[in-house]
Amino acid sequence: MKLNIALLPGDGIGPEVVDQAVKVCDAIAKKFNHEINWTKALTGASAIDACGEPYPDETHEVCMAADAVLFGAIGDPKYDNDPKAKVRPEQGLLKMRQKLGLFANVRPTFTFPSLIDNSPLKRERIEGTDLIILRELTGGIYFGERGRKDDGNTAFDTCTYTREEIQRLAKLGFELAMTRGKKLCCVDKANVLESSRLWRETVQAMEKDYPEVTVSYEFVDAVAMRLVQWPNSYDVMITENLFGDILTDEASVISGSMGLMPSASKGVHTSLYEPIHGSYPQAAGKDIANPLATVLSAAMMFEDAFGLKDEAEAIREVVNKSLAAGIVTEDLAGTNKAYKTSEVGNWLAENI
Amino acid sequence: MKLNIALLPGDGIGPEVVDQAVKVCDAIAKKFNHEINWTKALTGASAIDACGEPYPDETHEVCMAADAVLFGAIGDPKYDNDPKAKVRPEQGLLKMRQKLGLFANVRPTFTFPSLIDNSPLKRERIEGTDLIILRELTGGIYFGERGRKDDGNTAFDTCTYTREEIQRLAKLGFELAMTRGKKLCCVDKANVLESSRLWRETVQAMEKDYPEVTVSYEFVDAVAMRLVQWPNSYDVMITENLFGDILTDEASVISGSMGLMPSASKGVHTSLYEPIHGSYPQAAGKDIANPLATVLSAAMMFEDAFGLKDEAEAIREVVNKSLAAGIVTEDLAGTNKAYKTSEVGNWLAENI
Ligand SMILES: [Mg+2]
Ligand SMILES: [Mg+2]
């Protein structure tokens, strides 16, 4: 099979971890007799540095022409700490999501038996956790009208949602729940926000189409608590953009294996696969970052974008083998030997 | 000393837990020779049921005439699950905050040595945690313009902040940090939101007035993670209303002693003291709710509103005594005997 994949390494540790995923994918292609055509393109701070624009048109064309996008990370502190910077790396992320129609971020949180004691939570709290958060990605306050008034002394941001945007995301949630535990939790702040009330009434109206799914409605602050207390009580969660940004990150650390968590962003035009971790600029160029989340994102890509389940499973197997063999980067090594990012990638590729 | 205190029991378990705090305060008044004048007033669902309004003018007058307000909890599920309800209990809370000028919610998170193993976090993660979150209460998306367009198919909410609102809250944060560990964390989403950028530049401009305070700026999603990973790395945190709503609730469960956490809301006209837990309607009327958070809120009131430190300390001491003696409600009893809400209150009052 011919696989056209856009490769967007991004900033910070992005290029290093993406390199390892490419090694693993190429090994898979060799083993399963596929032909991968990688097309690299710039995003984020590296794109700003190159051409002043965090998601250049050229990059967009590469993504549109591809069957799937494998993405690293975006972000550079030199822009974060400058409140007057006109262009920010994260604007590239937002623009990319919008132009590719990436409307749903799919974020699993699960545990690896051998790593469960890395969780900040007690074993009995985290054991059995297997949840997926579906975060709406193209609406809400990150994309609404914003600006200043009163000579810059008043700032505003607007959160807007349409019924269609909510239906599109909720549909994915109901369908995903049907393939799993048949529990769906709609997270909102319907006791205060009008947009949340639209979320709630829209999802309530869809319940009749999925009679087997048990739906609960919970406030975002209550969920922020319960994720720490009883994470294994959730199956599929759906929520709007900002709430999802916060909750998916909170969920990512409870397993103790954040460096290993993959994600997908489902798009109208194409889908994108990326690790959930950030650009981790302090580690950039040091060959110490954990590449497994990117490697597991590539596994999600084989399965979701190309329907290649065996290939995905082969990647997950070799990742589990590397964990069992202790071929891990310093974040997982404990008092044992820590391997370099590139060494882990080489080991995985050789053991496919 | 004459203490004029407005008493707002509210909904759910509010009346029960407030009753216990009143017993304790009356015992304190007797011991320390004060005269407390309690004036009761309605809020929330109970006020809607009585007069159709969750924060009636009469209640507001009682609060304005008082030196401090002791508050229970607000909320009733019969309003939450009805997206078309015109008046909601929580609107009373918002209206009260606005009319009393309650602009800062002060939320400590600390551990009780005897209860540390109740935390969902491992002991080594939670030990030594002693942080305070200052949440801005009168601005942001909970108070901005909201509504529907397109025949109800589009909903919007607006987050607005002024430089003055931010300065007022940040000033409290800097001052509080000066009395503690001299570390201040400003929580925002300045990489995306304009209101967050105004927060960041306003706080940055205030740094020079507090040269001893070390200020950090962190994104709300990163803080949602770090609160689970390393809660003891924080001292004082300042943030806007919605972020504070989510983070204070998340912080409340990490100690494992949520039922014991007090809070204060600093006001322009008066200040309000309340437990952080909600109205817990499932337990209402059962005499099983933990009254300690409300009792400890009364301790905060004696110290903050009246400058009565010994009285506050006497309350905290008797609470610690009750914990050590196992005179606790079912949430803390484990396999030991669980006491009723009223029994705990009686024991505390008798042991003052
Ligand atoms: Mg995030
Ligand atoms: Mg809350």
Side-chain angles (χ1 to χ4, degrees), chain A residues 34-246:
Chain A
H34 300 301
E35 192 187 313
I36 302 183
N37 177 26
W38 299 103
T39 313
K40 229 180 203 172
L42 290 170
T43 47
S46 53
I48 298 176
D49 293 346
C51 64
E53 163 62 56
Y55 183 65
D57 290 345
E58 202 186 336
T59 298
H60 181 59
E61 279 158 31
V62 167
C63 292
M64 290 295 282
D67 302 318
V69 181
L70 187 61
F71 181 76
I74 259 183
D76 191 302
K78 74 181 166 189
Y79 295 95
D80 294 344
N81 296 322
D82 177 5
K84 299 209 183 304
K86 285 221 170 87
V87 192
R88 287 157 202 285
E90 289 79 5
Q91 289 168 348
L93 204 56
L94 302 183
K95 198 173 162 192
M96 178 172 70
R97 286 176 187 160
Q98 213 166 30
K99 291 188 76 170
L100 290 177
L102 302 178
F103 66 92
N105 193 211
V106 185
R107 294 260 301 236
T109 288
F110 53 90
T111 57
F112 296 84
S114 63
L115 299 177
I116 204 161
D117 288 326
N118 289 347
S119 172
L121 300 190
K122 290 174 182 155
R123 177 179 273 268
E124 69 269 23
R125 298 284 183 151
I126 189 67
E127 237 164 13
T129 295
D130 178 15
L131 65 92
I132 294 184
I133 303 179
L134 285 184
R135 166 187 171 193
E136 204 291 325
L137 267 190
T138 55
I141 200 164
Y142 291 175
F143 291 99
E145 205 195 330
R146 74 182 89 251
R148 295 280 178 111
K149 299 175 196 169
D150 310 327
D151 296 325
N153 292 310
T154 299
F156 69 94
D157 296 276
T158 317
C159 175
T160 303
Y161 268 106
T162 67
R163 197 179 299 273
E164 274 176 11
E165 286 172 317
I166 299 163
Q167 282 165 339
R168 184 170 64 170
L169 193 278
K171 187 167 177 285
L172 275 188
F174 276 109
E175 285 168 358
L176 190 59
M178 283 299 291
T179 69
R180 295 171 40 98
K182 296 183 180 162
K183 284 199 298 179
L184 185 72
C185 174
C186 173
V187 183
D188 60 37
K189 191 70 186 175
N191 53 345
V192 189
L193 302 180
E194 192 61 33
S195 52
S196 285
R197 287 198 274 274
L198 182 59
W199 270 80
R200 194 171 281 210
E201 71 183 50
T202 302
V203 176
Q204 279 172 338
M206 293 170 77
E207 282 189 37
K208 63 176 189 319
D209 301 327
Y210 305 89
E212 288 177 64
V213 177
T214 305
V215 186
S216 65
Y217 298 86
E218 299 183 24
F219 298 138
V220 58
D221 45 342
V223 174
M225 292 197 266
R226 202 171 139 195
L227 267 178
V228 178
Q229 293 180 297
W230 304 112
N232 55 17
S233 67
Y234 289 110
D235 178 17
V236 177
M237 229 182 260
I238 53 173
T239 193
E240 62 95 53
N241 204 342
L242 169 64
F243 296 164
D245 192 11
I246 297 170

Side-chain angles (χ1 to χ4, degrees), chain B residues 106-123:
Chain B
V106 185
R107 295 261 301 240
T109 288
F110 52 91
T111 58
F112 295 84
S114 63
L115 300 178
I116 205 160
D117 287 327
N118 291 346
S119 171
L121 300 190
K122 290 175 182 156
R123 177 179 273 268

Side-chain angles (χ1 to χ4, degrees), chain A residues 107 135 142 244-249 276, chain B residues 189 221-222 225:
Chain A
R107 294 260 301 236
R135 166 187 171 193
Y142 291 175
D245 192 11
I246 297 170
L247 294 178
T248 53
D249 278 338
I276 64 161
Chain B
K189 190 71 185 175
D221 46 341
M225 293 197 263

Side-chain angles (χ1 to χ4, degrees), chain A residues 189 221-222 225, chain B residues 107 135 142 244-246 248-249 276:
Chain A
K189 191 70 186 175
D221 45 342
M225 292 197 266
Chain B
R107 295 261 301 240
R135 166 188 170 192
Y142 291 176
D245 192 11
I246 297 170
T248 53
D249 279 338
I276 64 162

